[in-house]
Amino acid sequence: MTPENTFPGRWPAPDAPAATAAPAPRFSLLGPVRAWSGTAEIDLGSPQQRALLAILLLRRDQPVPCEHAVRALWGDTAPRSADTTVRTYIYRLRRLLGDLAGDAPEIRKQGGGYLLTAGGATLDTELFRDLLARGREDRDRSEPGAALGHLRDALALWRGTPFGDADTPYFTAERERWEQLRSAATEELAAVQIGLGRYAEAVAMLETALAGRPLWEKLWELRIRALAGLGRRADALAAYQDARRLLHTELGLEPGPGLRELHRGILALEPPAPAAPAVPPAGRAGEPPRPPADFVGRTAELAVLTERLTFPHRMVVMSLTGPAGTGKTALALRAAHDLRSRFPDGRLYARLGAPDGTPRPPGDVLGELLTALGVPAAGLPAHAAERAALWRRTTDGRRLLLVLDDVVPGARPDPLLPVSPGCAVLLVGRRPAGEPPPPDRTVVLDGLTLADALQLLGAVVGHERLRHEAEPSARLVSTCEYRPGPLRAAAARLLADPRRSVREVERELRTGAGAGPVELRLGRPPARGAHPSHGVCPRAVAAGAHAADARRDSDAGRMSVQWRST
């Protein structure tokens, strides 16, 4: 049996315990080019030397002519000394690989080029292909549980932008090829999740995938299916309109037959017929969506929510407010995830705002919540007052956490509040709903710190990319007012075209130039003078450190922000 830390279905963790025999080296290309020998990471040298190693690894056990390596590394701008530079890199890589323990790869001269023999090394690109093939085989054999595991493991191998910051036509084409495989794997995993009824997981994953590939129709189709599966029919229809607008604006096309048929199917759904109310037995409630995978920071706010939402002997209502794009929903979902053990009868999530910005009728929201608690659709009363009474009876004696998101002006959360001691409600919106809770029951969200804003941006587009454009990256997060929403929109622009620089995107967003698939809307500047529109002046950028805005980080201990790779 294969040892656990080298099992081909999972990328071995860098801190996995070493086996008795010297472990084979491991190489990662699905992100920055990296390598490990046992638990120690290997210094692979300069970015261009790493890029040459990536070329050899991609064509392992096949000869790579020297002129091919030169063209891949420099494109049409190779210097006269390119051949000599390649030979120098090969010499250094040979020495580096020769010092490794275990069955390490070896670089040999062959004809007018070089050949890297695999040895016993593992390579994440090959693991990814293997896991993707296994997942497809399991799917074809009608084994969705096994397919789910293999496809998840395949996507877990990705650590950022493939091949780091190598930016030549060769790497642009290779990167696009692998990103298409990644999107295909995401598509297949989402289809399996939907088939298993894991709609919330599929929605969260597809939203992240669409930020990178907003014109991929199949991803939109799956997202709409997952939203419909959650009973979020209005959101599913709104997602179709978003896809339709995007395709028309960017490509001048109408949605394809798959999207159109799905839209017609959702429109044709009939509401369930009302029947006599029924009170179900106690059971676990439905789960809120998972928090975004790239969630960063908010340690202080999470601590406040954890402390103030958990009172076993009384019902608690808290308000989470702040300008658009500050990540209120992400923080609420993270808090709900962290508090799952404190609310043994479950956690519920509902939106109080419709896609057009108007408040949803309380009866519709109550129907969703009661269904999540196990009330059959046929057992829902027709009138909102009867549903509210059934809600109070159903939640009596339970300890539930209720997250009411998108509290728009005119929304009525009062009929939705449980009365049982030990329950907690978190109202999430741009302003408190109705009578605002007291200050100790309100958390006002502002922009991220400079460190967390850079961490969020780097988690999406790759930390290596930001390192090479340190000053423009700091200006970009300032232009986005340190808010997660605009930062993700800016990241989507960067992901849509890997050739574009951070400097170009920052200038477009600051000046309002450059039409693209992402619309960036910034609200008022954050309160307390935290982040003026262009208050960050990055200086002395060295070893991955940035100077922070003195008005936000007044203490000297926070003036320098170190990059943290994930």
Side-chain angles (χ1 to χ4, degrees):
M1 188 168 182
T2 311
E4 183 179 353
N5 65 323
T6 56
F7 177 61
R10 294 184 184 272
W11 181 244
D15 56 352
T20 353
R26 296 172 282 120
F27 294 88
S28 174
L29 303 182
L30 299 177
V33 181
R34 300 172 68 186
W36 292 269
S37 177
T39 60
E41 184 166 0
I42 304 165
D43 183 0
L44 297 176
S46 67
Q48 205 164 41
Q49 184 169 300
R50 291 170 183 261
L52 177 58
L53 177 61
I55 296 165
L56 296 171
L57 287 168
L58 285 171
R59 296 184 58 170
R60 59 193 291 180
D61 298 315
Q62 301 175 45
V64 177
C66 188
E67 58 269 22
H68 173 83
V70 168
R71 194 163 53 250
L73 288 174
W74 286 280
D76 296 328
T77 60
R80 291 183 180 180
S81 59
D83 288 356
T84 304
T85 304
V86 168
R87 285 196 294 272
T88 302
Y89 291 155
I90 291 291
Y91 169 76
R92 293 173 180 169
L93 288 171
R94 275 177 172 161
R95 291 190 59 183
L96 185 152
L97 296 176
D99 290 341
L100 298 181
D103 191 8
E106 180 184 354
I107 301 175
R108 301 173 183 169
K109 187 97 167 59
Q110 180 160 322
Y114 305 94
L115 180 144
L116 183 144
T117 56
T122 56
L123 181 59
D124 63 353
T125 49
E126 294 188 356
L127 290 176
F128 174 77
R129 282 187 180 278
D130 177 61
L131 288 163
L132 182 55
R134 291 187 191 191
R136 287 169 172 169
E137 288 171 6
D138 292 331
R139 177 203 60 195
D140 295 340
R141 288 197 299 260
S142 298
E143 297 178 4
L148 184 76
H150 283 133
L151 293 170
R152 274 179 174 168
D153 287 346
L155 289 167
L157 295 170
W158 287 71
R159 296 289 187 267
T161 304
F163 321 119
D165 291 314
D167 190 16
T168 63
Y170 170 84
F171 281 107
T172 298
E174 281 291 329
R175 191 173 286 121
E176 176 61 21
R177 185 165 67 89
W178 284 97
E179 288 287 4
Q180 286 188 8
L181 283 172
R182 183 186 193 180
S183 294
T186 302
E187 174 186 317
E188 296 187 33
L189 175 56
V192 172
Q193 288 172 327
I194 291 169
L196 291 170
R198 298 172 177 256
Y199 303 116
E201 292 179 22
V203 168
M205 182 181 66
L206 289 164
E207 286 175 351
T208 302
L210 280 166
R213 288 194 170 269
L215 300 177
W216 195 289
E217 280 194 62
K218 186 63 177 179
L219 296 178
W220 279 107
E221 182 180 330
L222 289 164
R223 180 173 179 242
I224 292 167
R225 286 187 187 279
L227 288 168
L230 285 171
R232 294 164 58 182
R233 186 182 175 202
D235 289 342
L237 294 172
Y240 173 81
Q241 295 301 332
D242 290 342
R244 182 173 180 273
R245 268 193 306 273
L246 189 61
L247 291 167
H248 186 269
T249 302
E250 295 302 310
L251 304 176
L253 299 175
E254 287 297 314
L259 270 176
R260 293 199 304 272
E261 185 63 31
L262 180 60
H263 181 238
R264 283 194 293 269
I266 295 172
L267 286 174
L269 288 176
E270 292 294 333
V279 180
R284 291 196 66 84
E287 296 278 321
R290 289 178 178 269
D294 56 6
F295 182 90
V296 297
R298 305 301 193 195
T299 306
E301 292 89 345
L302 279 169
V304 170
L305 291 175
T306 300
E307 176 191 355
R308 298 180 185 175
L309 283 171
T310 50
F311 283 86
H313 304 301
R314 61 188 174 93
M315 202 273 287
V316 178
V317 179
M318 285 201 67
S319 180
L320 176 58
T321 70
T326 49
K328 299 181 293 295
T329 297
L331 175 59
L333 295 178
R334 178 57 183 268
H337 177 77
D338 291 351
L339 290 169
R340 59 191 181 280
S341 62
R342 305 285 191 95
F343 294 92
D345 295 310
R347 299 156 297 147
L348 291 166
Y349 174 87
R351 299 179 68 90
L352 300 193
D356 61 0
T358 58
R360 297 178 61 201
D364 291 355
V365 183
L366 283 165
E368 284 183 7
L369 296 174
L370 286 164
T371 302
L373 282 177
V375 177
L380 292 175
H383 301 293
E386 294 174 348
R387 291 187 177 188
L390 177 59
W391 168 251
R392 288 191 293 272
R393 295 198 302 274
T394 305
T395 58
D396 187 30
R398 298 188 182 186
R399 290 196 61 190
L400 296 167
L401 172 62
L402 177 59
V403 178
L404 297 177
D405 196 6
D406 198 16
V407 181
V408 297
R412 294 175 52 206
D414 290 351
L416 314 173
L417 304 183
V419 295
S420 182
C423 286
V425 179
L426 181 57
L427 303 171
V428 184
R430 297 191 191 182
R431 57 180 63 89
E435 185 69 25
D440 66 332
R441 295 289 171 211
T442 302
V443 174
V444 181
L445 212 55
D446 202 350
L448 296 165
T449 64
L450 176 61
D452 289 335
L454 289 169
Q455 182 74 3
L456 172 60
L457 189 62
V460 180
V461 305
H463 294 281
E464 291 292 330
R465 187 171 184 180
L466 300 192
R467 280 196 186 95
H468 286 280
E469 292 190 81
E471 293 190 23
S473 297
R475 286 198 300 272
L476 176 59
V477 299
S478 176
T479 299
C480 292
E481 296 179 337
Y482 304 83
R483 298 183 187 178
L487 282 168
R488 289 191 178 93
R493 292 194 180 205
L494 289 165
L495 288 173
D497 185 356
R499 295 168 297 182
R500 300 176 76 194
S501 67
V502 176
R503 189 185 305 274
E504 288 176 306
V505 171
E506 187 277 329
R507 187 184 301 115
E508 285 180 5
L509 299 182
R510 176 164 39 84
T511 61
V518 179
E519 181 180 4
L520 183 71
R521 292 183 178 177
L522 298 179
R524 296 171 58 191
R528 305 187 304 276
H531 292 303
S533 297
H534 305 287
V536 169
C537 180
R539 297 177 304 223
V541 181
H546 292 292
D549 183 359
R551 276 170 290 187
R552 180 173 182 90
D553 300 330
S554 55
D555 55 301
R558 295 175 64 194
M559 288 294 291
S560 177
V561 179
Q562 297 291 330
W563 287 94
R564 296 169 291 166
S565 297
T566 55

